[in-house]
Amino acid sequence: GDVCSGAGQGCRDTNASATSLRDWECVCPAPQTGVGLHGAANCTLDECSGATACAEAGQVCRDTNQRPSAVGDWECVCPPPSDSTATSGAAVCEYNECLNATCPEKQKCVDPNVTTSGDWTCECLLPSVGVRVGGGASCTHDECDVHSADCTSHGQHCVDTNTTTDNDWACECLSPDVGEPQLMGVAVCQTTLECIDYHAVCEAAEQHCRDPSESLGDWVCECIAPYAGPDGAQNATVCTLDECAVLCPTCAQQDAAIAGFCDQHGQGCADPDFKTEQDWTCTCPAPSSGPAATQAVAVCTLDECAEPCPTCAEGTCGDQLCHDANTSALELKDWVCRCAPPSSSEAQRARVQTCTYNECEDAMCPADQACVDPNVTVDSNWECRCLPPATGTGAMQAASGCDEYNECVPDLSVCPGCAGDTCEDAGQHCADPDVGVKGDWRCECAAPARGYRTGAPAAEADCVLDECAESCAHCADTGAGNVCVQSGQACEDGNTSVASTSDWACRCAPPLDVIAALTAVAICEVDECHDEFGALGVPGAVCNATANATQDCYDPSWTAMGDFVCSCRAPEEGSAPGRAANCTLDECLIEAHNDTCRFVGQLCRDDDVATDGNWICQCPAPATGSRLMGPATCLTQECELEDAKACGAADPPQLCVDPNLRIHDDWSCQCAAPTTGAAPLGAANCTLDECEADCSTCAGTVCSDAGQTCHDPVAALASRKDWECRCVLPHVGAADGGKAVCVHDECTVHAGVCDAAGQACNDPIATPEYLYDWECICRSPLQGVGTMGPATCSLDECTTVGVVCSAAGQACHDPDVGPLSTGDWECHCAPPAVEYDIANVAGNCTYLGDCRLPEVESVCTAAGQACVDDDKTEDDVWRCECVHPASGAAASNAAAACELDECSAQCATCAGQRCSDAGQECRDDNKDAAAGLNTWVCLCASPRVGVSAPTKVAVCTLDECLSHAGTCTAALQTCYDPDIAVTALGDWECHCAPPATQTARGQAADCSHDECGPNGATCAAAGQDCVDGDHR
């Protein structure tokens, strides 16, 4: 009993039979636990057995250190998936649900409150928008937010047909224009005739007019997105709107669709009547329920005990009762499991409760025993325990052995006849060797002495003190260890009587056999490397046992053991105390290695002498570089040398570029922007092309914006502001320091056609608006004009010899104006005489009346009029009258003022229907009936351009850049229409400004230009990489 009581424990003998010996055990006092068989127990204290805070919070109690001295270190651990803990109290369970939640690609998970569950959301990454609680969001991205200006700048409307995908925005024509929507570009829109007249009908109903063909009576009104409905034939239609698909102007997140507003709260969107606006509702998602809410979030309920869902109990409680106190769909995972009677425990949120019940409320133990239920969560584990000082226990029955106890109990009122304080009063320890035997308690000698006496305090003779084996103030071990043992010596105590103290001594270990004075350490000296005969000792053999060479042994102190040192022999280096040394060798001391580097002018270096095969050759300064076990490849930063400073000293300073660090004298100076130029091994002669550079005096985009080219005649730094804009062929023209006025002389392109026919080229109107009017003109004396091709030349001899006839008052006539027909001209008498002669003046002309007189008739005939002489017997009564279809008042004795509009009249030289048949307009600017014949022209109808040669139908062109150039110029690009024929539509292009060369049809080009191409040397000169983050 005193063995157990000495440890503060109770003694228990489960079988007190005299035939059952050495079955007693020491039992730890409550609340500690532990049993030691015939010896002191190793007691533990599980503080969780009495802590209820964890179970009340639905958490698990954990006591990792159950030593009795470790009090207050128990902790509550949150159930998975949370890993939060708290010491000496319930924990605040935090768990970021995003650790296990999965959101779709291009979405992120957000847990706004880590102390609650079921509130994590998936949020769309910008520029998309959308959020949803507990799952993937419906992301939308209206690309028209970015590209709307691309359409509106051309009077069109931007539409994104699917906001869940990218690169599907388009420009649509606005009423009354029509045309196919252009994906990611500007549409080609045309105004139809019927929509010009009827578009107001559609616009009054906020609809769009569309004319699908040139036929009459087929125009329709169509709904404008987001409204939808069938086309209305020649009238407004009925348009409906599913509000769940449009933006929500009253929501907090106004750039989201209405459906997204409901989706953010985990609800669905419904529009009960597509004809009624502002009646959309949010609806509760299954399995929750609740009435739909108009233009608001619905109030949804969900009994998590009754419905299946990810956060619901769904059979988790098992035999326990499930209870959901708050059935709001916004309050999830708040259900609890309740224990069935007789237990009344209830779990925390969304957990199964551990049910407890103290069985001692119904158990029956004898009156002299106590009932204990060690684990209230387990059935049928109650027990009866003996009352002090006995320690017997009976599982679900009365305990036995209640008459066995430790007699060292100090309270004699509990245990009459026990030791009480007898031993303690004598400064000794009480022990009860057999709790089943009464009267066998004993007093044991006070430490450090050993011995005892039964039933009374021990006398001096009963106690023994070995100062070498015990720890005390006068012992060899005063608490810090035995000084003899620590010195490698043996301890001896010649007298172990308690009265004989301080008589111990230390003895040296073999081979020295020396004993010290009392209470002292012996002085022991020995050369560990050699014994007294000079032979190599054991430590010396340790030094000699290296694999490649022997080492020297050295013992610095003969009084200390184990301090010998092994030292390496030259040329190796190194030493180690108490063991063989790790010898090292600087490999550069090996001549062959050193010569390998020295012969190429490099240095040998061995940075790790403990490892073989790692010497290197190091390049001398200023070069850098090294190589393992061989000559290095040396690199020199020549731009850091003195000569290269010429670059920085130039005016203005230049950049030094060293393209290959392995090659000497390959550095160069390169001019800094905006100048250009480079020179090897010295300063460069820098030039400034004001057309290419970016500076205050440079051209910039002035020329390119006008679709012209830029030219700098003197690209010198001192020659500034001398650049000019030049027109692009076939246009010609130039202007210093600004946009040129361009002239389009088509003869610059087509003159060779006329030259090949021996004719001259002429462009009557040399402007870009008047194209395809160039002509070939026959050279004198030939006559003839050919539009857009060689002329058919004629030779009217009357132009040269007609004076012979006119001098005689006769008219000259050349019946064959072919170039090869000569000498056939005729002189004809003035009408009404009909005589004539070939190549000579006609004779014997008969003339009757004034109109027969040449001087009279010529007045009318010269004007293309008829001479009328009503009275041939009188002189000077003649008049000139207009000849149909010309009109005008007759004039007496003079030519009449006759006019002939060849566009409206019917005549041999008139236009007739030729212009209108070609869909063109006829114009006659010279209506003089004589001089103005064959002067009518055809004009192309807008937006087509073109004016015909006289008496010809115009060749119309349509330069689409006249209407689409804004798309290109807005992107600092030039518009070009490669084929301006009216049948070639949609082929206009945007051309990037130099140095970029990209083009794009029907839209602005992607003018990617990697500036690292021409400028990479700037970064390379600084030892850096060039990156152009934006190639535009």
Side-chain angles (χ1 to χ4, degrees):
D2 46 5
V3 172
C4 300
S5 61
Q9 303 173 12
C11 182
R12 180 176 64 191
D13 189 355
T14 56
N15 190 343
S17 172
T19 59
S20 178
L21 302 178
R22 296 191 61 80
D23 61 341
W24 59 274
E25 51 190 16
C26 292
V27 181
C28 298
Q32 302 176 25
T33 59
V35 176
L37 184 62
H38 49 79
N42 182 19
C43 298
T44 61
L45 176 59
D46 187 356
E47 297 177 275
C48 287
S49 61
T52 61
C54 299
E56 291 173 355
Q59 301 172 16
V60 178
C61 182
R62 181 175 64 191
D63 189 359
T64 55
N65 187 350
Q66 297 187 1
R67 290 179 298 178
S69 59
V71 179
D73 63 337
W74 60 277
E75 55 186 13
C76 290
V77 180
C78 294
S82 175
D83 57 358
S84 302
T85 62
T87 303
S88 300
V92 177
C93 296
E94 296 182 351
Y95 172 63
N96 190 336
E97 295 176 282
C98 287
L99 297 176
N100 288 330
T102 301
C103 289
E105 186 180 1
K106 296 184 180 181
Q107 298 185 25
K108 66 177 179 179
C109 180
V110 177
D111 190 352
N113 189 344
V114 294
T115 62
T116 61
S117 58
D119 61 342
W120 64 275
T121 62
C122 287
E123 294 184 359
C124 301
L125 300 179
L126 293 176
S128 298
V129 295
V131 63
R132 186 178 184 183
V133 178
S138 297
C139 299
T140 60
H141 172 208
D142 191 344
E143 295 175 278
C144 286
D145 293 340
V146 177
H147 299 288
S148 179
D150 295 341
C151 302
T152 56
S153 63
H154 294 82
Q156 300 178 17
H157 170 65
C158 180
V159 60
D160 189 352
T161 56
N162 189 345
T163 57
T164 62
T165 59
D166 293 333
N167 299 327
D168 59 348
W169 64 276
C171 290
E172 288 185 345
C173 303
L174 294 177
S175 176
D177 292 348
V178 296
E180 291 297 323
Q182 178 61 46
L183 184 66
M184 300 172 59
V186 179
V188 177
C189 301
Q190 295 180 337
T191 301
T192 61
L193 297 178
E194 289 188 288
C195 281
I196 293 178
D197 299 329
Y198 301 107
H199 70 89
V201 176
C202 302
E203 292 175 353
E206 297 184 343
Q207 299 172 17
H208 171 69
C209 179
R210 179 171 58 86
D211 190 356
S213 71
E214 295 182 357
S215 302
L216 297 177
D218 62 343
W219 63 275
V220 296
C221 290
E222 59 182 13
C223 299
I224 301 176
Y227 290 86
D231 291 342
Q234 295 81 57
N235 205 345
T237 184
V238 177
C239 299
T240 61
L241 172 64
D242 184 355
E243 293 179 278
C244 289
V246 300
L247 299 182
C248 178
T250 61
C251 302
Q253 190 173 1
Q254 295 185 7
D255 58 346
I258 291 178
F261 169 79
C262 299
D263 187 72
Q264 291 175 13
H265 298 84
Q267 299 182 10
C269 179
D271 188 352
D273 186 352
F274 288 174
K275 297 181 180 179
T276 303
E277 296 188 16
Q278 298 185 357
D279 66 335
W280 60 270
T281 62
C282 287
T283 59
C284 297
S288 64
S289 60
T294 302
Q295 300 189 65
V297 179
V299 178
C300 305
T301 60
L302 174 61
D303 187 345
E304 294 175 280
C305 288
E307 301 291 345
C309 68
T311 63
C312 294
E314 204 170 6
T316 304
C317 294
D319 294 336
Q320 301 179 18
L321 304 177
C322 181
H323 177 66
D324 188 356
N326 188 344
T327 57
S328 170
L330 299 178
E331 186 68 21
L332 301 179
K333 296 188 73 173
D334 62 336
W335 54 268
V336 299
C337 292
R338 290 178 174 176
C339 297
S343 175
S344 59
S345 301
E346 181 179 281
Q348 295 298 308
R349 292 165 57 108
R351 297 187 182 92
V352 178
Q353 170 64 2
T354 300
C355 300
T356 61
Y357 174 60
N358 193 334
E359 295 179 282
C360 285
E361 296 178 2
D362 299 325
M364 299 294 292
C365 292
D368 58 349
Q369 298 180 18
C371 179
V372 176
D373 188 350
N375 189 343
V376 295
T377 65
V378 179
D379 293 335
S380 303
N381 67 332
W382 60 275
E383 55 188 30
C384 293
R385 295 183 179 178
C386 300
L387 298 177
T391 59
T393 300
M396 299 179 63
Q397 62 181 355
S400 60
C402 290
D403 56 349
E404 297 176 359
Y405 49 87
N406 192 332
E407 294 180 280
C408 287
V409 176
D411 189 356
L412 295 178
S413 62
V414 175
C415 180
C418 291
D421 296 329
T422 302
C423 300
E424 283 71 12
D425 291 344
Q428 299 177 10
H429 171 67
C430 178
D432 187 351
D434 190 345
V435 294
V437 178
K438 301 301 181 283
D440 63 341
W441 60 273
R442 63 191 185 193
C443 291
E444 296 180 344
C445 300
R450 297 182 181 276
Y452 65 89
R453 174 170 291 186
T454 301
E460 182 178 332
D462 298 326
C463 301
V464 175
L465 176 59
D466 186 347
E467 293 178 285
C468 287
E470 305 297 339
S471 175
C472 63
H474 49 77
C475 295
D477 181 3
T478 60
N482 192 300
V483 295
C484 299
V485 176
Q486 291 176 347
S487 300
Q489 302 177 18
C491 182
E492 297 181 357
D493 187 359
N495 187 346
T496 59
S497 170
V498 240
S500 177
T501 60
S502 301
D503 57 351
W504 57 273
C506 296
R507 181 185 294 274
C508 295
L512 299 180
D513 191 10
V514 178
I515 190 167
L518 297 179
T519 68
V521 177
I523 299 176
C524 306
E525 292 185 352
V526 59
D527 184 353
E528 295 181 88
C529 293
H530 299 82
D531 59 17
E532 67 246 36
F533 304 106
L536 195 61
V538 173
V542 171
C543 298
N544 229 0
T546 57
N548 299 324
T550 58
Q551 302 179 12
D552 294 327
C553 182
Y554 168 65
D555 188 359
S557 174
W558 289 9
T559 60
M561 299 300 292
D563 63 339
F564 71 92
V565 177
C566 292
S567 301
C568 300
R569 295 179 182 176
E572 296 182 330
E573 300 175 334
S575 62
R579 60 177 178 82
N582 293 326
C583 298
T584 61
L585 173 62
D586 186 345
E587 295 179 274
C588 286
L589 298 177
I590 300 175
E591 185 174 0
H593 296 171
N594 189 49
D595 289 346
T596 299
C597 302
R598 182 169 59 86
F599 287 163
V600 294
Q602 300 177 14
L603 304 176
C604 182
R605 196 177 77 214
D606 188 357
D607 294 332
D608 185 2
V609 295
T611 304
D612 293 336
N614 65 336
W615 60 277
I616 62 173
C617 287
Q618 178 74 47
C619 297
T624 60
S626 62
R627 184 182 178 188
L628 182 66
M629 301 173 64
T633 299
C634 298
L635 305 178
T636 303
Q637 294 280 359
E638 293 182 277
C639 284
E640 297 177 1
L641 302 180
E642 185 67 26
D643 291 345
K645 293 182 179 178
C647 300
D651 185 18
Q654 302 174 15
L655 302 174
C656 180
V657 178
D658 188 357
N660 192 332
L661 302 182
R662 299 183 181 181
I663 301 176
H664 293 285
D665 295 334
D666 65 332
W667 62 275
S668 63
C669 292
Q670 293 192 357
C671 300
T675 61
T676 58
L681 306 179
N685 181 20
C686 299
T687 61
L688 175 61
D689 189 340
E690 293 176 282
C691 288
E692 299 293 339
D694 182 12
C695 65
S696 59
T697 64
C698 292
T701 62
V702 173
C703 298
S704 60
D705 287 347
Q708 302 172 12
T709 60
C710 183
H711 174 67
D712 188 354
V714 182
L717 188 61
S719 177
R720 307 295 283 268
K721 297 184 179 179
D722 60 340
W723 57 272
E724 60 182 15
C725 288
R726 291 181 175 180
C727 300
V728 179
L729 289 177
H731 307 295
V732 294
D736 293 334
K739 182 175 68 174
V741 177
C742 298
V743 176
H744 187 172
D745 187 347
E746 294 178 276
C747 284
T748 60
V749 178
H750 303 292
V753 176
C754 301
D755 291 340
Q759 301 173 15
C761 183
N762 175 51
D763 188 355
I765 306 177
T767 62
E769 292 79 12
Y770 289 87
L771 301 178
Y772 303 103
D773 63 338
W774 63 276
E775 53 191 19
C776 291
I777 302 176
C778 298
R779 299 185 185 273
S780 181
L782 302 180
Q783 302 95 34
V785 176
T787 301
M788 297 176 63
T792 300
C793 298
S794 62
L795 177 59
D796 187 351
E797 294 177 276
C798 288
T799 59
T800 57
V801 299
V803 66
V804 175
C805 300
S806 60
Q810 299 178 14
C812 182
H813 174 64
D814 190 351
D816 187 354
V817 294
L820 302 179
S821 177
T822 60
D824 60 342
W825 56 277
E826 304 168 342
C827 284
H828 287 236
C829 296
V834 294
E835 293 82 5
Y836 70 91
D837 198 358
I838 299 175
N840 200 353
V841 176
N844 300 320
C845 294
T846 302
Y847 177 72
L848 296 174
D850 292 333
C851 288
R852 301 289 185 172
L853 298 175
E855 63 272 18
V856 173
E857 185 182 24
S858 62
V859 173
C860 298
T861 57
Q865 302 172 16
C867 182
V868 179
D869 187 357
D870 294 329
D871 187 356
K872 297 181 175 60
T873 62
E874 294 186 15
D875 294 333
D876 297 328
V877 291
W878 59 274
R879 64 179 183 276
C880 292
E881 292 184 352
C882 298
V883 178
H884 181 80
S887 61
S892 297
N893 300 334
C898 299
E899 290 187 352
L900 175 61
D901 187 345
E902 294 178 285
C903 287
S904 59
Q906 297 293 326
C907 65
T909 64
C910 292
Q913 299 297 318
R914 279 177 283 180
C915 293
S916 59
D917 288 347
Q920 302 176 14
E921 175 189 355
C922 182
R923 187 177 70 193
D924 188 359
D925 293 331
N926 188 350
K927 295 182 176 62
D928 189 295
L933 297 181
N934 293 316
T935 58
W936 59 270
V937 296
C938 291
L939 302 177
C940 297
S942 179
R944 300 173 176 86
V945 295
V947 178
S948 73
T951 74
K952 303 290 184 181
V953 174
V955 178
C956 301
T957 63
L958 177 59
D959 188 347
E960 295 179 276
C961 286
L962 297 176
S963 58
H964 297 292
T967 300
C968 304
T969 56
L972 303 180
Q973 300 173 22
T974 303
C975 183
Y976 172 67
D977 189 351
D979 188 348
I980 57 177
V982 294
T983 57
L985 298 179
D987 62 338
W988 62 275
E989 303 171 343
C990 288
H991 288 208
C992 297
T997 59
Q998 294 88 333
T999 65
R1001 174 171 291 186
Q1003 61 182 358
D1006 178 10
C1007 298
S1008 300
H1009 174 56
D1010 189 350
E1011 297 179 281
C1012 286
N1015 303 307
T1018 303
C1019 303
Q1024 303 172 7
D1025 294 330
C1026 180
V1027 177
D1028 187 355
D1030 189 346
H1031 289 182
R1032 292 176 294 178

